[in-house]
Amino acid sequence: MSNRKVPIVDLARQHAPVREEIDAAIAEVIDSGHFVLGPVVQAFEEELAAACQSQHAIGVSSGTDALLLALMAQGVGPGDEVITTAFSFFATAGVIARLGATPVFADIEDHSFNLDPALALDRVTAKSAAILPVNLYGRLATLPETELPIIEDAAQSIGTGRVQGKAACYSFFPTKNVGALGDAGAIVTGDDEFADRARLMRTHGGRPKYFHKVVGGNFRIDAMQA
């Protein structure tokens, strides 16, 4: 019997069949001299929005930053509560805490491991600013029926074909369903005003450059990842 260990993820083997295509795309970016945002990113965003059957895709620096920026664009801040699942990667609750808000945990469904919508509604208070479910293991979470904005942590569910809530946040970490050559992420939404605010805050809230209307951050995706 062989003692050879089989890695959970073998990125080199995964990339081998499309290596020439990847190399050509990298060369195109290098030759263009346009490394952050720009036409390659715009083309990626348009393709992603179409694939998700939505109007807008905003490429960002990571899946975590997608969650953080989406909550910022929603106006979540100190004193707010965001209801989320008790079963997820740390970033889901971490981004809530980074904004000075309070993560409020609800339990999961036994059959899906996703946030139980009924239990989520039980945790709603006057301080609730949003609900943040996670589409774990590629399964779309059943969303609670509520007027609260719902931001989906969709890091593991790209390819399901649609955005259920106000926005969905994707991760392109190399081991995700669709992986980049480093950290990258995206927010997808059908809300024009929300998308515009997210794009504004992605570049420190500056529009035009060096004229800053709000405090945002450096959440830009680079062209190589796009």
Side-chain angles (χ1 to χ4, degrees):
M1 181 179 292
S2 172
N3 290 323
R4 178 176 176 269
K5 293 183 178 180
V6 178
I8 295 175
V9 178
D10 189 340
L11 294 175
R13 185 176 183 181
Q14 176 179 306
H15 290 148
V18 292
R19 179 61 184 269
E20 290 185 5
E21 185 178 352
I22 292 173
D23 288 348
I26 291 173
E28 180 182 347
V29 171
I30 293 173
D31 292 342
S32 75
H34 206 143
F35 301 124
V36 179
L37 299 181
V40 170
V41 170
Q42 182 178 348
F44 159 72
E45 290 176 335
E46 290 173 355
E47 186 173 346
L48 178 61
C52 295
Q53 302 175 28
S54 199
Q55 284 71 47
H56 305 281
I58 302 99
V60 296
S61 38
S62 70
T64 299
D65 285 341
L67 291 170
L68 181 64
L69 178 57
L71 292 178
M72 290 173 66
Q74 186 55 42
V76 172
D80 291 332
E81 295 178 349
V82 177
I83 300 163
T84 191
T85 173
F87 186 51
S88 178
F89 178 61
F90 179 81
T92 308
V95 295
I96 300 169
R98 283 177 64 182
L99 293 175
T102 301
V104 175
F105 297 108
D107 212 341
I108 58 174
E109 298 175 317
D110 291 339
H111 65 278
S112 71
F113 301 107
N114 287 330
L115 179 68
D116 187 310
L119 296 179
L121 290 178
D122 287 344
R123 305 307 302 272
V124 172
T125 70
K127 295 182 179 181
S128 299
I131 298 178
L132 182 56
V134 178
N135 300 332
L136 205 60
Y137 308 129
R139 293 182 174 184
L140 289 177
T142 300
L143 303 189
E145 295 185 9
T146 176
E147 294 183 359
L148 285 172
I150 296 177
I151 308 295
E152 296 175 77
D153 182 338
Q156 295 185 359
S157 64
I158 192 167
T160 53
R162 68 186 189 278
V163 176
Q164 300 187 106
K166 186 168 190 176
C169 300
Y170 296 100
S171 170
F172 303 115
F173 186 76
T175 58
K176 289 297 191 294
N177 309 54
V178 175
L181 295 179
D183 269 321
I187 301 169
V188 177
T189 181
D191 187 311
D192 295 343
E193 184 178 349
F194 180 87
D196 183 69
R197 186 168 177 81
R199 290 187 188 279
L200 175 66
M201 300 181 85
R202 174 175 66 175
T203 53
H204 292 287
R207 185 187 292 160
K209 191 175 183 179
Y210 303 129
F211 290 81
H212 300 271
K213 303 178 186 301
V214 297
V215 176
N218 180 8
F219 301 124
R220 301 170 299 185
I221 187 174
D222 70 73
M224 197 78 76
Q225 306 309 329

